[in-house]
Amino acid sequence: MGGFWTHLIVALAAGVLGVLLGVLARRSSSAPPVPEEPPKTTSGTSTDARGGLEHALTEHRDAWLCELNRCEQAVHRAVRAADTVSSLPVRRGLRQVVYRMDAELPTVRTLVQLARELDTGDSPGATADSTRRVALRRIQDGVVMAVSRFTELGDQLAGVVAELAAGADQEHAQRRIAALRERFPLLPAMSAILEGRAGSGGTPETPSLVRARA
């Protein structure tokens, strides 16, 4: 009998141990996997920094396009103002002024394109950087001059139209138009601007577009 009870106890102990191992195995397989923490890296941060710098440079260069837009808008306003005049001779005279304004817009576009190309902040050395800044300053003076003269002439043309609407006679309007024609050309030659020989005819209160550099 002693041997029988001994075998029975051993069998029961083995069965209980098997059940416990099965329960533990099922719990391990059903447990959700623990997510691994991604490795830390600085490449994303550096990429974001480069993207932010490129965006800032692009936004700064687009300020030059805003100056070009001011000149183009001056011409558009002059066109709309001239088209409101009922007198054919006066309207023809005003349109001639507008055509002269429009004919000088390509010069402004060229100046703005040059400014955007120079205003990148990239230079191979101190000498090149100094030369680039001098060229950029001269081009900036040309752009500021263009904005001032285009907007001023557009305002004067609109003033002629306003005087006509207020009852001014056509002879007075033709004299004003003749005075507007004498303002041309609005801009000096491109070579004079690039060589710094173009007078600005005053210093308009326009914020500087050139970045200060150490």
Side-chain angles (χ1 to χ4, degrees):
M1 292 294 294
F4 172 78
W5 288 110
T6 300
H7 289 297
L8 179 60
I9 292 172
V10 172
L12 290 174
V16 172
L17 181 60
V19 171
L20 290 175
L21 291 176
V23 171
L24 291 176
R26 285 196 299 272
R27 288 183 177 180
S28 299
S29 61
S30 60
V34 178
E36 296 182 359
E37 184 178 355
K40 295 182 179 180
T41 177
T42 59
S43 61
T45 303
S46 60
T47 301
D48 293 342
R50 288 195 300 269
L53 178 60
E54 292 175 358
H55 175 73
L57 290 175
T58 300
E59 186 178 43
H60 182 79
R61 290 195 297 271
D62 286 347
W64 295 104
L65 295 181
C66 291
E67 299 301 285
L68 171 60
N69 183 65
R70 293 176 64 184
C71 294
E72 293 175 337
Q73 288 300 317
V75 176
H76 295 331
R77 288 193 300 270
V79 170
R80 292 193 295 268
D83 287 344
T84 63
V85 176
S86 58
S87 170
L88 182 59
V90 175
R91 185 166 69 248
R92 184 182 298 114
L94 291 173
R95 283 180 174 175
Q96 289 174 354
V97 174
V98 173
Y99 294 153
R100 295 288 299 275
M101 294 175 68
D102 186 69
E104 295 198 37
L105 276 179
T107 300
V108 185
R109 296 189 181 103
T110 301
L111 288 172
V112 167
Q113 182 61 32
L114 289 173
R116 296 183 80 235
E117 292 176 357
L118 289 173
D119 196 15
T120 60
D122 299 328
S123 60
T127 302
D129 185 66
S130 177
T131 302
R132 182 184 57 78
R133 280 186 293 168
V134 171
L136 186 57
R137 172 61 65 179
R138 291 174 179 175
I139 294 172
Q140 180 201 17
D141 291 341
V143 173
V144 171
M145 180 196 312
V147 172
S148 174
R149 295 183 179 181
F150 270 79
T151 55
E152 181 181 1
L153 188 62
D155 291 342
Q156 291 178 350
L157 187 147
V160 174
V161 175
E163 290 175 357
L164 285 170
D169 57 63
Q170 295 188 19
E171 292 183 1
H172 172 76
Q174 292 290 5
R175 288 194 297 270
R176 291 288 308 277
I177 292 172
L180 294 181
R181 291 199 193 100
E182 293 177 358
R183 299 284 305 277
F184 292 95
L186 295 179
L187 301 177
M190 179 68 71
S191 59
I193 295 175
L194 297 180
E195 294 173 7
R197 295 184 289 104
S200 62
T203 306
E205 295 182 358
T206 302
S208 176
L209 293 174
V210 180
R211 291 191 297 273
R213 299 184 183 275

